[in-house]
Amino acid sequence: MGTKLKSYSHLIITKIIICAIVITCFTGALTAFVDTAVLSDGDFEIVSEDNYFQSRAYIQENESLVATLTQLIGEYKSEKYILKGGSISEEELRSEAENLYSDFQLQSKSYNPNLSEAENYKKFKEVYKDEIAQAKGRLIKNDLREFHLLKQNLEAYEGLVYYASNGTNVFTNSTKKEQTQFKIYPSYMIFENYKREIYPNEVEDNEHLYGITGQIDELNPETTVVYVAFTEEFLNLKIKEWKEDKVAATNNLYKVVAFLIGLILSFLYLLLIIGRKSFDDREVHFHAVDRLYNDFNLVLCLGMIMLWVTLLDRVGFENAHQMSIPITAPIATAGLILVLSLVKHFKNRTLIRHTLLYRIFYKLFVFVRNVYDSGSVGVKTVLLVIGYPILIVITFFMFPVTIGAAAWFAFKKVKSFHAIQEGVERIKDGDLRHRIDVEGEGEFERLADNINSITDGLKKAVDSELKSERLKTELITNVSHDIRTPLTSIITYVDLLKKEKDSSKVEEYIEVLDQKSKRLKILTDDLFEAAKASSGDIPVQLEKIDIISLITQGLGEVNDKIEASDLEFKMNHPEDKVYMKADGRLLWRSIENLLSNIFKYALKGSRVYIDIEDTGSEVLLTFKNISAYELNISADELMERFKRGDESRFSEGSGLGLSIARSLIELQDGKFSIQVDGDLFKSIICMSKHQNND
């Protein structure tokens, strides 16, 4: 069954059927929407309204009547009042006078530009006295016409009883003039003495009530009286009409939802299969319509939307629901064909490239680029000067966009240039931490990156030089101190030895001289070895090293020192042998330095852990011990030459052990690091694993 469906999924007949479903659903949804708009007079809220008194329709029945009454009693009042000019505002008179004054300035010979504005205006009132009076007469005539028109409109209200007064003038279609007389009706609105009384109470919750109360609030509450009421027959008729409209609008809404669901599902399926002959087909197949440029396609789509709106507007709001299907179906069919063509180009990734504008600009760009790349600076300048005006002429229909884009581009480039210029000045003044931030991928951006790279290099060189100078100073100070101490002792004891006659003291002095001379030799050897390790002037022969055997054998050789230091060594390693790629002599020298460091600085009676870990491509060798001295310096400082865990320098170390170990490990392409956690001191050697373990 699935195979059969798959074979029919992309047939022409299948696509035609799906297109017909899409057009039917689209036309049906629009028709149902238009029907709803016509039935509810554009009031789509009727579907969610609970009852007639909370509906917009109820407010609309009252709103136009109240608007007419408030305009009559508030603005026009009476025919006598209008004839006296009472309805004409100062602003209206001033506007008419300004128009006449403009005419006076342009056409009247009485206007004298040498006079002041006040003098000319005074002259204007004298010359245009009759015209001003005529303008006022026109305004009075217009207001009088509007007054009688509003009174005629009041006569058209049937089923609504009203009474409105401003204390002098009264407008009513009933002999009833008291509140109590209006309260006998099933629905009424009473506005009098700053108060309002509305029945039934549900009307107070109507969110559109402000349309009525807002008009009443503009009148003088002390003299204004407005009563409006529904007759029972009229109200029952309106409630019945509202209920019928609500049912019809709700049904149409269900139709809209149903058609939209069908439209979405069918259109999505059509998007999936259009342009392909099967689900496995990766090629997009085009037809004659698809040759139309996509920008023209979009213009036609927008034109058909405007045509649809224009045709519906021409047939009129009342006839729109009858003509919506004949108008919508053919336009929707043509529009669907154009939209599917755009979808095909989107699938083929030619949505932008298959446009006339793209073709024009691309060819122009290629031509300009070829000339620009092959020309000199003068040719490029002339090309820019000539080419940009031509571009403006070609794109005259969108010249503000073109000019705006050029201005933005120029501003961006100038901003980038100023950023580079300012950055170079700051770097020149010695601010090597400053970075030039220029966004994008152009020449200015590459220049900024290059300058930043140079700055980084200068900063590293300066930092390295400062550190080197500091280390040299510390080296000289420490070497002087460490050499002077045993040398001073040797000189002192040699002087004592020359004068001493007691043989027992002579032997004691010779023993001290022997210790100090050996100490001086060790210090000299360490300095020599540190210098050779740092310079890399040591031959390295990498070979296959069994690290477990090397450590085990080495610990046996220094067993006397282990016992003398009262330390307990714990070794953790894999059961299988682990092979490193290293120089055995240099590796053991590094390990020997670490062990010597442990013997000198580890806490007596504590444990020392040696862990060997195989990570797959590397071997980690970790030494952990508890320091006998408080480690109040960082790991980086301990790695520097002549740095010791005891800053008091009471221990026998030279401070070169860790530095020599790191240099020797790095000569073997390994990594050496230390970590300090409280009094826990950890040394880590990381070497490449020997891949051939046979």
Side-chain angles (χ1 to χ4, degrees):
M1 185 68 179
T3 306
K4 291 183 178 180
L5 288 175
K6 188 174 182 181
S7 62
Y8 291 118
S9 61
H10 289 69
L11 292 178
I12 297 296
I13 187 65
T14 303
K15 295 176 181 178
I16 293 175
I17 292 173
I18 299 299
C19 285
I21 294 174
V22 170
I23 294 169
T24 302
C25 291
F26 180 76
T27 305
L30 282 179
T31 302
F33 179 81
V34 171
D35 289 345
T36 304
V38 172
L39 288 172
S40 61
D41 196 22
D43 180 18
F44 296 101
E45 298 178 5
I46 191 173
V47 177
S48 60
E49 291 169 348
D50 294 331
N51 58 64
Y52 177 66
F53 295 109
Q54 292 181 338
S55 69
R56 185 176 180 181
Y58 175 81
I59 298 298
Q60 287 177 336
E61 293 292 343
N62 291 275
E63 190 173 11
S64 59
L65 174 59
V66 172
T68 302
L69 291 174
T70 54
Q71 194 170 4
L72 284 172
I73 64 176
E75 182 177 354
Y76 297 118
K77 295 180 176 60
S78 66
E79 184 173 335
K80 183 178 180 180
Y81 179 77
I82 295 173
L83 291 173
K84 288 182 178 180
S87 62
I88 303 175
S89 65
E90 292 293 332
E91 184 178 351
E92 289 177 313
L93 290 174
R94 185 166 51 253
S95 177
E96 290 291 333
E98 287 176 356
N99 292 334
L100 291 173
Y101 184 67
S102 298
D103 182 68
F104 170 75
Q105 289 177 309
L106 295 174
Q107 299 182 9
S108 178
K109 296 179 179 180
S110 300
Y111 178 77
N112 187 352
N114 297 322
L115 297 177
S116 66
E117 191 73 14
E119 291 173 333
N120 273 313
Y121 198 80
K122 184 178 180 181
K123 189 69 175 178
F124 155 73
K125 285 185 175 182
E126 296 175 359
V127 175
Y128 274 68
K129 180 179 180 180
D130 295 337
E131 286 82 353
I132 294 173
Q134 291 174 4
K136 184 176 181 180
R138 285 196 304 272
L139 292 175
I140 292 174
K141 188 176 180 181
N142 291 337
D143 285 355
L144 195 61
R145 185 187 303 112
E146 183 67 20
F147 172 75
H148 288 294
L149 182 62
L150 290 174
K151 289 185 66 176
Q152 290 177 6
N153 291 341
L154 286 178
E155 297 174 0
Y157 289 99
E158 297 180 358
L160 285 170
V161 183
Y162 60 86
Y163 174 85
S165 173
N166 59 2
T168 303
N169 308 107
V170 175
F171 299 91
T172 182
N173 64 348
S174 172
T175 57
K176 300 174 182 179
K177 301 180 181 180
E178 302 295 332
Q179 287 189 19
T180 54
Q181 294 175 318
F182 277 81
K183 290 182 179 180
I184 64 173
Y185 291 101
S187 177
Y188 57 83
M189 294 184 180
I190 295 175
F191 301 92
E192 185 177 5
N193 295 330
Y194 295 94
K195 297 180 181 179
R196 76 184 188 193
E197 187 173 349
I198 300 175
Y199 184 83
N201 296 330
E202 292 98 314
V203 179
E204 290 285 0
D205 297 328
N206 195 314
E207 61 180 5
H208 304 289
L209 183 60
Y210 66 88
I212 296 175
T213 57
Q215 299 178 51
I216 300 295
D217 291 341
E218 294 178 359
L219 303 176
N220 184 359
E222 295 180 353
T223 58
T224 298
V225 176
V226 177
Y227 304 149
V228 178
F230 280 81
T231 63
E232 186 172 359
E233 296 80 5
F234 183 74
L235 183 61
N236 291 336
L237 176 63
K238 291 300 178 180
I239 291 175
K240 181 181 178 182
E241 291 177 354
W242 175 82
K243 288 181 178 179
E244 291 174 351
D245 290 345
K246 178 179 173 64
V247 171
T250 303
N251 292 335
N252 282 329
L253 178 63
Y254 289 148
K255 290 181 183 179
V256 171
V257 173
F259 279 125
L260 283 178
I261 293 174
L263 173 64
I264 293 171
L265 294 177
S266 57
F267 187 66
L268 288 176
Y269 183 73
L270 192 59
L271 293 181
L272 182 65
I273 64 174
I274 197 67
R276 302 274 166 76
K277 294 182 178 180
S278 67
F279 287 111
D280 298 328
D281 188 11
R282 292 290 171 243
E283 181 182 356
V284 179
H285 303 276
F286 293 101
H287 300 293
V289 178
D290 304 318
R291 296 177 183 176
L292 183 68
Y293 287 117
N294 291 334
D295 40 5
F296 283 176
N297 190 329
L298 289 173
V299 171
L300 288 176
C301 288
L302 293 175
M304 283 188 288
I305 293 174
M306 296 174 63
L307 176 64
W308 179 80
V309 174
T310 303
L311 291 177
L312 282 182
D313 183 63
R314 288 286 181 88
V315 300
F317 188 73
E318 295 297 331
N319 299 321
H321 66 290
Q322 298 176 354
M323 298 298 297
S324 60
I325 293 178
I327 292 175
T328 304
I331 294 178
T333 303
L336 180 62
I337 294 173
L338 294 176
V339 169
L340 292 178
S341 176
L342 293 175
V343 172
K344 287 182 183 180
H345 284 288
F346 178 79
K347 288 183 176 181
N348 197 50
R349 298 181 180 179
T350 54
L351 186 63
I352 303 297
R353 286 183 293 169
H354 189 69
T355 59
L356 182 61
L357 285 176
Y358 179 85
R359 295 289 180 89
I360 293 174
F361 282 114
Y362 180 75
K363 289 182 179 180
L364 181 63
F365 171 76
V366 171
F367 172 75
V368 172
R369 185 183 62 183
N370 292 337
V371 176
Y372 192 84
D373 291 342
S374 60
S376 62
V377 176
V379 173
K380 294 178 181 179
T381 304
V382 172
L383 187 62
L384 288 174
V385 171
I386 297 176
Y388 183 70
I390 294 175
L391 180 64
I392 292 292
V393 173
I394 294 175
T395 59
F396 70 93
F397 58 92
M398 49 180 285
F399 74 93
V401 177
T402 309
I403 293 176
W408 174 82
F409 179 78
F411 173 76
K412 185 177 179 181
K413 291 301 179 183
V414 171
K415 183 179 178 182
S416 299
F417 174 77
H418 284 316
I420 294 174
Q421 187 181 42
E422 180 184 354
V424 171
E425 289 292 332
R426 293 182 62 175
I427 294 170
K428 184 189 71 173
D429 293 338
D431 186 3
L432 298 181
R433 297 185 180 276
H434 177 71
R435 297 192 63 81
I436 303 174
D437 295 325
V438 177
E439 299 179 354
E441 298 180 355
E443 295 180 353
F444 283 151
E445 292 74 20
R446 290 193 296 271
L447 177 60
D449 290 338
N450 292 335
I451 295 175
N452 288 334
S453 299
I454 295 173
T455 305
D456 292 339
L458 287 173
K459 183 177 178 299
K460 289 180 180 178
V462 171
D463 291 343
S464 177
E465 184 66 23
L466 291 175
K467 183 177 180 181
S468 177
E469 290 296 327
R470 179 174 58 82
L471 291 177
K472 286 179 181 179
T473 302
E474 291 183 0
L475 177 64
I476 294 172
T477 302
N478 291 329
V479 167
S480 300
H481 179 275
D482 285 5
I483 291 179
R484 186 186 299 112
T485 301
L487 188 59
T488 301
S489 298
I490 291 173
I491 294 172
T492 301
Y493 279 95
V494 167
D495 290 339
L496 292 173
L497 189 61
K498 290 178 180 179
K499 301 175 183 179
E500 188 58 55
K501 304 298 183 180
D502 188 346
S503 59
S504 61
K505 289 188 177 182
V506 168
E507 292 179 0
E508 181 182 346
Y509 293 162
I510 292 174
E511 180 65 24
V512 172
L513 288 172
D514 182 58
Q515 292 177 0
K516 298 301 180 182
S517 60
K518 289 179 179 179
R519 167 66 181 154
L520 191 59
K521 181 179 183 302
I522 291 172
L523 181 60
T524 306
D525 291 342
D526 285 347
L527 282 171
F528 179 70
E529 187 171 8
K532 288 185 63 179
S534 298
S535 64
D537 189 21
I538 297 178
V540 179
Q541 184 176 356
L542 300 180
E543 54 187 355
K544 182 179 179 181
I545 303 297
D546 182 354
I547 186 59
I548 299 176
S549 299
L550 179 67
I551 297 296
T552 304
Q553 181 180 353
L555 291 178
E557 294 177 0
V558 296
N559 188 58
D560 292 342
K561 294 184 179 180
I562 293 175
E563 292 179 355
S565 62
D566 194 20
L567 297 173
E568 181 181 357
F569 278 73
K570 296 287 186 179
M571 188 171 172
N572 300 316
H573 57 81
E575 295 182 359
D576 298 332
K577 291 187 176 182
V578 180
Y579 295 97
M580 274 185 176
K581 186 179 180 182
D583 186 308
R585 178 178 59 85
L586 299 180
L587 179 60
W588 173 247
R589 181 70 181 93
S590 303
I591 295 173
E592 192 176 31
N593 277 9
L594 298 182
L595 292 175
S596 176
N597 196 66
I598 291 171
F599 294 145
K600 294 173 184 175
Y601 301 113
L603 181 65
K604 301 297 182 181
S606 63
R607 295 185 182 88
V608 178
Y609 293 92
I610 303 176
D611 298 331
I612 301 174
E613 181 182 358
D614 184 354
T615 64
S617 60
E618 295 178 328
V619 178
L620 293 180
L621 179 60
T622 306
F623 295 83
K624 294 182 284 187
N625 67 274
I626 302 298
S627 175
Y629 306 96
E630 182 180 357
L631 297 175
N632 53 6
I633 56 177
S634 65
D636 292 337
E637 290 180 302
L638 282 173
M639 290 292 292
E640 296 177 2
R641 295 178 181 179
F642 284 97
K643 281 289 183 181
R644 303 177 186 173
D646 61 326
E647 289 296 307
S648 59
R649 310 184 64 86
F650 289 154
S651 60
E652 291 294 325
S654 64
L656 295 170
L658 295 178
S659 177
I660 293 172
R662 180 176 63 177
S663 298
L664 294 177
I665 294 299
E666 290 176 351
L667 283 175
Q668 302 170 75
D669 299 327
K671 290 176 285 186
F672 177 78
S673 62
I674 62 174
Q675 296 177 4
V676 176
D677 186 2
D679 291 336
L680 175 63
F681 184 82
K682 186 187 299 186
S683 303
I684 304 171
I685 295 175
C686 179
M687 302 292 292
S688 298
K689 181 180 177 181
H690 198 283
Q691 298 302 321
N692 184 10
N693 292 340
D694 298 335

